[in-house]
Amino acid sequence: MEHTHAALLRLVGELEQRSVARLPPERELAERLGTSRTTVRKAMDLLERDGVIRRLKGRAGGAYLTSVAPASPSPESARSVCQSRRLLRSLNTVKGVPQMLHEQGFRDGTKVISARMATPSESAARVLGDGPAVSLLRLRFADGDTLSLEQMYLNGSLCGRVLGAPLNSVYETLRNKLGISVCMADESIELATLGSSAGALLGQPEGTAVLKLERIGYDQEARPVEYSVDLFRADRTRLNVRTSSLVSASLT
């Protein structure tokens, strides 16, 4: 045990020089030193008694050198998973994806997977009513790579004629062909994971994390005309929101 204790002290000195705070696990130390885990544990007990290490339990547990300060857990040190340019998805304005892509210098693309009149989903029916709705399933591209998968429902009685027009930018078509402007939206965002079919369309493995945006769009008369669910690739999308605490005060 004395040999193991001395070897661990030498390892502690090496780690201190490299500013490494955590000792390897007991099993790895036992293999390195050619001894049993019981012997390693007893030697670690002596190091802890002498204040050389401290032991922590739990998922982040282990043996840590008391002479080396742990790295600062600054959120700024978190690394982005994105390896390419991301679309900045603003939550401050109501814009279609093609417009956002154009404004940020991306080459946009849309693949219409299905476009038809259909019975809306339960969630869409709560917004648009039980009547037939325009159902659009579209895959979006940015610079030739997949960006998002969108299921959109539109009020059938107001927007049914959109099916006879180009469907790359539905907002533009609604405005120019039908005189309907989607000018206000309620959106909720959460983290979700891809199923196998959505993953196949986006070219991502099943279980990949995505940003799920649920949107209700209102026209210029405050009528709900749109219910959509978008799955944005988290590695290609960055959300932006502007807030203000300014409060107008009345003079008396």
Side-chain angles (χ1 to χ4, degrees):
M1 208 265 286
E2 292 181 2
H3 172 76
T4 301
H5 181 256
L8 288 180
L9 283 175
R10 289 195 296 272
L11 176 59
V12 166
E14 294 174 5
L15 294 178
E16 286 176 339
Q17 292 180 357
R18 292 156 43 200
S19 298
V20 176
R22 186 175 182 176
L23 280 169
E26 289 181 0
R27 177 177 297 176
E28 182 178 332
L29 289 172
E31 292 176 355
R32 280 195 198 182
L33 302 176
T35 187
S36 67
R37 291 182 64 181
T38 300
T39 301
V40 169
R41 191 172 298 116
K42 290 180 179 179
M44 300 271 276
D45 289 341
L46 291 178
L47 294 179
E48 186 173 30
R49 184 200 65 185
D50 295 338
V52 176
I53 65 171
R54 65 181 182 282
R55 284 156 154 169
L56 300 177
K57 297 181 179 180
R59 295 182 63 181
Y64 292 84
L65 276 60
T66 57
S67 57
V68 179
S72 173
S74 170
E76 292 182 335
S77 64
R79 298 179 61 185
S80 172
V81 299
C82 179
Q83 301 300 318
S84 60
R85 195 159 63 99
R86 290 170 291 179
L87 171 70
L88 186 62
R89 177 68 164 81
S90 176
L91 304 179
N92 307 307
T93 58
V94 180
K95 293 180 181 178
V97 172
Q99 182 181 355
M100 286 187 283
L101 289 170
H102 286 159
E103 290 176 353
Q104 296 176 43
F106 288 93
R107 185 177 78 257
D108 77 291
T110 298
K111 179 180 179 180
V112 179
I113 299 170
S114 68
R116 58 194 176 91
M117 294 295 295
T119 301
S121 67
E122 183 178 338
S123 297
R126 284 197 293 267
V127 175
L128 304 175
D130 295 325
V134 176
S135 173
L136 302 175
L137 182 63
R138 298 182 295 174
L139 187 62
R140 302 292 201 173
F141 297 86
D143 288 345
D145 196 6
T146 58
L147 173 68
S148 66
L149 179 65
E150 174 197 66
Q151 173 64 68
M152 173 185 281
Y153 291 100
L154 297 170
N155 184 300
S157 61
L158 295 173
C159 308
R161 287 185 294 150
V162 77
L163 289 174
L167 297 173
N168 179 53
S169 176
V170 169
Y171 282 4
E172 183 178 338
T173 299
L174 287 174
R175 183 172 59 252
N176 295 338
K177 301 294 184 181
L178 304 181
I180 296 174
S181 295
V182 180
C183 50
M184 184 175 68
D186 291 326
E187 289 188 312
S188 62
I189 304 101
E190 62 181 325
L191 197 63
T193 55
L194 290 174
S196 57
S197 57
L201 289 171
L202 285 168
Q204 300 295 302
E206 181 179 1
T208 299
V210 291
L211 295 174
K212 179 180 178 181
L213 276 72
E214 182 181 21
R215 180 175 62 258
I216 300 173
Y218 302 86
D219 69 2
Q220 64 269 36
E221 298 180 24
R223 297 174 298 185
V225 295
E226 173 202 4
Y227 174 82
S228 295
V229 175
D230 296 351
L231 301 180
F232 278 86
R233 281 178 52 177
D235 64 335
R236 302 210 67 201
T237 311
R238 184 179 184 183
L239 300 178
N240 172 264
V241 62
R242 174 178 294 176
T243 59
S244 174
S245 61
L246 296 178
V247 179
S248 58
S250 59
L251 298 177
T252 57

